[in-house]
Amino acid sequence: MASVPSLASNVQQRLADALTAALPEAGAADPLLRRSDRADFQANGILALAKKLGGNPRELAAKVVDAIDPNDVLEDIEVSGPGFLNITITDKAITETLAARAADDRLGVPFAAGSGTTVIDYAQPNVAKEMHVGHLRSAVIGDAMVQILEFTGEKVVRRHHIGDWGTQFGMLIQYLIEHPHELDHKDGVSGEEAMSNLNRLYKASRTLFDSDEEFKDRARRRVVDLQSGDEETLALWQKFVDESKIYFYSVFEKLDMEIRDPDIVGESGYNDMLDETCRILEESGVAVRSEGALCVFFDDVKGPDGNPVPLIVKKSNGGYGYAATDLSAIRDRVQNLGADTLVYVVDARQSLHFKMVFETARRAGWLNDKVKAVQLAFGTVLGKDGKPFKTREGETVRLVDLLDEAIDRATAVVREKAEKVGLSEQEIVENGRYVGVGAVKYADLSTSAVRDYKFDLDQMVSLNGDTSVYLQYAYARIQSIKRKAGDRSPVAHPELALAPAERALGLHLDQFGEVLAEVASSYEPHKLAAYLYQLASHLTTFYDQCHVLSADNPAEVVENRLFLVDLTGRTLHQGMALLGIRTPERL
């Protein structure tokens, strides 16, 4: 089905046509339409036009109103103040537009196939290291943007740029050679067991590395073997990668996220490109030699001493820095994957590094007017005290521990209401997981990514306020009403007048597609979370003021209100799914 134009776009077009008819000397003018608390919409564009044309804005506004053709969309247009237009929509137009949305599986949201290819770099754990709270935001924000962009029609290539290369592997591999059965285990090992194996091996190898100079020398020689592609060394390195993947996948499964093996292209995936990347940069003059290192300099990047701080692509000892890998990844994503947009969901503290990498890629011609790179930077997860989230011992919080506690808290909340709803033990456990993980994701996604946010589980699993639990209960309540409706079906009745709460809910429902378009273009999932919270709030007001199944209501009123409730439920369900959050049918 074709996308459904929103009421705002419908009104915008009618006003633009009237502006052209009434004031042809103005050319193509924007009515500057926005939502208003004085009417359904307000148009402010005539003020700017009056300055441009040298006319009286109220008189020009009256001309525009006179030029609007009779229609069944605009109920009333009032000229207000110095030439504002306050616009009220007909109830019929609201209901008919919503009915068109309800008739479409996509709720009337456009699907712009062929609009481009975006590579999203997110969820970047490190091999042989535990995932901690710092990995949460990249995974949650990145996954939401993947879902939103794919839903709007973008071709999305997922990339998990895992840390799977570097000098620490010399130490780990050498230890495994000398203790060959440390990673032996039966098939079916759990993620927690896999991480326990890796932790034990890492600590033992680090202790030996720090205390035994001969082992340290052997470990350093093993790094050279790894980098030169020695087969035995690479095979053992692969064991660490495979063991880590068992662990990664278990954590992502707990997060209710799909991570696919082909999407994991770590630092090692670009090794064969590093030399050529450096050669291209040096031959083109983008990078220059400085004290033996290959560097790129920038006029606006200086250190505390006022001297330029370069991006080091190749170190003076011949080793490659992160920049060489990141630049090679850009080459691969643009030239081999055909990307026209690169989105990096990376900690804001790495902003300077990526600013320099992107500028280097532009100078090299890999990024240009047709291919852009964006860092979707995110802030830090804080504890209740406003300081970086740590354990009581001052250590970084393990991600699995955080998720387990959220699920335990949420399960307790679900269990309190379970008897009233009639949930089985299996439903309590399943819903507890959905509510707990949803609470963690929503707390993250409802905050502007670049801001820090406080991790407060008590608030996250609260039934009140801006939480995912509030939204999930709103959805479950809708399903309960639909079950109680029996054989009464949701049917739109455009001939009916709408109560104020019905109009407010309907006008908000109509904005879903516009909100998604904005979120997809600006990479700001918190705006979708805000929209869904407002939707649930409108629904609460609607419940209070408009009884859905009242026996006193005529049949068509019941059907129309069931229609509004049903469309609200579908919109909540779709919106939450795009944020990676489940909506249980019963809570």
Side-chain angles (χ1 to χ4, degrees):
M1 178 175 169
S3 63
V4 178
S6 68
L7 287 163
S9 64
N10 192 329
V11 174
Q12 171 89 6
Q13 188 58 56
R14 290 174 188 276
L15 288 180
D17 291 345
L19 275 169
T20 302
L23 308 169
E25 65 275 24
D30 186 347
L32 297 179
L33 191 73
R34 62 179 180 82
R35 291 298 305 274
S36 171
D37 55 2
R38 297 176 181 273
D40 295 334
F41 297 97
Q42 188 175 80
N44 302 335
I46 293 172
L47 273 72
L49 273 181
K51 287 183 181 177
K52 179 181 172 183
L53 301 176
N56 179 300
R58 282 189 67 90
E59 290 176 5
L60 294 181
K63 277 188 181 181
V64 172
V65 172
D66 289 342
I68 294 174
D69 294 327
N71 61 83
D72 56 2
V73 173
L74 304 178
E75 173 86 22
D76 181 56
I77 303 180
E78 175 199 16
V79 178
S80 171
F84 299 134
L85 297 181
N86 288 335
I87 300 155
T88 303
I89 307 295
T90 65
D91 291 349
K92 181 172 184 281
I94 293 172
T95 304
E96 285 181 342
T97 301
L98 296 182
R101 294 201 178 286
D104 179 28
D105 289 342
R106 293 177 49 80
L107 303 173
V109 177
F111 184 78
S115 56
T117 297
T118 296
V119 174
I120 298 191
D121 188 323
Y122 69 108
Q124 308 107 346
N126 295 306
V127 166
K129 289 187 179 177
E130 200 133 27
M131 290 178 70
H132 53 76
V133 68
H135 291 110
L136 177 67
R137 301 207 72 185
S138 178
V140 169
I141 295 168
D143 185 63
M145 282 314 309
V146 167
Q147 306 303 329
I148 291 163
L149 288 173
E150 286 184 337
F151 187 73
T152 55
E154 187 80 1
K155 179 186 175 186
V156 178
V157 180
R158 311 165 191 217
R159 278 293 174 265
H160 307 299
H161 190 85
I162 64 172
D164 65 352
W165 204 250
T167 54
Q168 76 273 20
F169 286 101
M171 177 183 81
L172 291 165
I173 293 166
Q174 188 59 38
Y175 186 87
L176 192 56
I177 286 172
E178 296 175 17
H179 304 78
H181 302 295
E182 286 291 307
L183 284 184
D184 291 350
H185 54 67
K186 298 174 184 176
D187 290 339
V189 65
S190 70
E192 196 72 15
E193 289 170 314
M195 194 64 242
S196 176
N197 293 337
L198 291 165
N199 267 340
R200 187 185 68 252
L201 200 148
Y202 184 87
K203 287 175 182 175
S205 64
R206 169 55 70 181
T207 300
L208 197 56
F209 186 87
D210 290 340
S211 63
D212 186 332
E213 287 299 321
E214 289 184 1
F215 176 77
K216 185 181 286 188
D217 288 340
R218 293 194 299 276
R220 285 172 171 162
R221 287 197 298 273
R222 188 59 59 181
V223 175
V224 177
D225 293 338
L226 177 65
Q227 292 176 339
S228 62
D230 174 69
E231 284 190 18
E232 181 197 15
T233 305
L234 281 173
L236 291 169
W237 166 81
Q238 189 63 51
K239 286 191 78 167
F240 284 102
V241 174
D242 292 342
E243 192 84 1
S244 297
K245 281 183 179 179
I246 295 171
Y247 164 68
F248 295 159
Y249 288 161
S250 72
V251 178
F252 287 123
E253 185 181 358
K254 188 164 283 193
L255 264 172
D256 201 15
M257 268 180 210
E258 181 191 30
I259 301 289
R260 302 178 302 214
D261 219 50
D263 303 332
I264 297 177
V265 183
E267 295 166 358
S268 64
Y270 306 101
N271 285 347
D272 293 345
M273 300 176 69
L274 300 179
D275 188 56
E276 186 181 22
T277 296
C278 292
R279 181 180 58 76
I280 292 169
L281 292 173
E282 187 167 17
E283 288 179 357
S284 63
V286 173
V288 295
R289 294 282 170 181
S290 176
E291 298 179 21
L294 187 63
C295 304
V296 183
F297 288 91
F298 309 86
D299 292 337
D300 61 341
V301 181
K302 293 182 171 62
D305 57 2
N307 292 323
V309 176
L311 182 71
I312 300 173
V313 184
K314 193 172 186 178
K315 302 171 188 174
S316 55
N317 65 2
Y320 298 102
Y322 286 122
T325 304
D326 289 334
L327 288 163
S328 296
I330 288 176
R331 281 180 58 213
D332 175 63
R333 293 166 183 183
V334 173
Q335 295 168 1
N336 298 330
L337 299 179
D340 42 46
T341 305
L342 307 177
V343 178
Y344 291 79
V345 189
V346 183
D347 193 314
R349 288 170 291 191
Q350 296 187 47
S351 293
L352 179 59
H353 169 76
F354 278 99
K355 177 185 175 184
M356 293 194 289
V357 166
F358 295 163
E359 176 57 27
T360 300
R362 270 189 286 272
R363 292 179 188 180
W366 304 324
L367 298 177
N368 49 48
D369 292 342
K370 294 181 179 177
V371 185
K372 67 174 180 177
V374 178
Q375 183 193 357
L376 204 176
F378 57 81
T380 305
V381 181
L382 306 174
K384 287 185 186 180
D385 58 3
K387 297 176 182 176
F389 199 30
K390 303 276 187 184
T391 64
R392 287 180 183 172
E393 295 73 35
E395 294 178 4
T396 305
V397 178
R398 297 191 329 151
L399 186 49
V400 287
D401 291 343
L402 181 149
L403 294 174
D404 285 342
E405 186 180 354
I407 290 168
D408 287 347
R409 294 275 195 98
T411 303
V413 171
V414 172
R415 194 177 294 281
E416 279 180 23
K417 297 199 175 264
E419 189 173 336
K420 181 180 178 184
V421 184
L423 296 181
S424 67
E425 181 62 25
Q426 182 181 344
E427 286 176 309
I428 292 171
V429 172
E430 187 175 84
N431 289 355
R433 181 179 168 226
Y434 293 154
V435 171
V437 172
V440 171
K441 288 183 176 182
Y442 186 84
D444 194 314
L445 292 167
S446 59
T447 305
S448 173
V450 76
R451 290 176 53 197
D452 300 341
Y453 81 95
K454 290 183 181 179
F455 194 92
D456 182 349
L457 271 178
D458 292 329
Q459 173 57 30
M460 288 180 189
V461 298
S462 170
L463 298 176
N464 303 310
D466 189 4
T467 67
S468 68
V469 194
Y470 176 66
L471 301 181
Q472 287 168 321
Y473 267 99
Y475 178 80
R477 190 175 182 184
I478 287 169
Q479 304 317 306
S480 173
I481 287 174
K482 287 166 63 179
R483 287 192 294 271
K484 289 176 183 174
D487 57 1
R488 290 171 289 185
S489 301
V491 180
H493 284 276
E495 74 280 4
L496 291 178
L498 297 176
E502 292 175 304
R503 295 185 100 260
L505 179 60
L507 285 166
H508 194 73
L509 279 167
D510 185 53
Q511 291 179 275
F512 184 53
E514 291 176 344
V515 169
L516 283 183
E518 183 182 355
V519 169
S521 64
S522 65
Y523 309 115
E524 294 179 299
H526 72 277
K527 291 183 176 178
L528 174 56
Y531 168 84
L532 295 172
Y533 173 62
Q534 289 162 359
L535 180 60
S537 300
H538 280 301
L539 183 71
T540 300
T541 304
F542 167 80
Y543 283 145
D544 291 343
Q545 298 180 10
C546 304
H547 297 295
V548 179
L549 300 176
S550 171
D552 298 333
N553 289 336
E556 59 270 24
V557 171
V558 173
E559 290 176 345
N560 200 59
R561 289 180 176 173
L562 278 172
F563 162 73
L564 284 171
V565 165
D566 182 58
L567 184 56
T568 301
R570 288 173 60 193
T571 306
L572 277 172
H573 175 77
Q574 181 62 74
M576 294 286 269
L578 293 175
L579 295 178
I581 300 172
R582 306 263 188 161
T583 43
E585 296 286 307
R586 301 198 304 161
L587 267 179

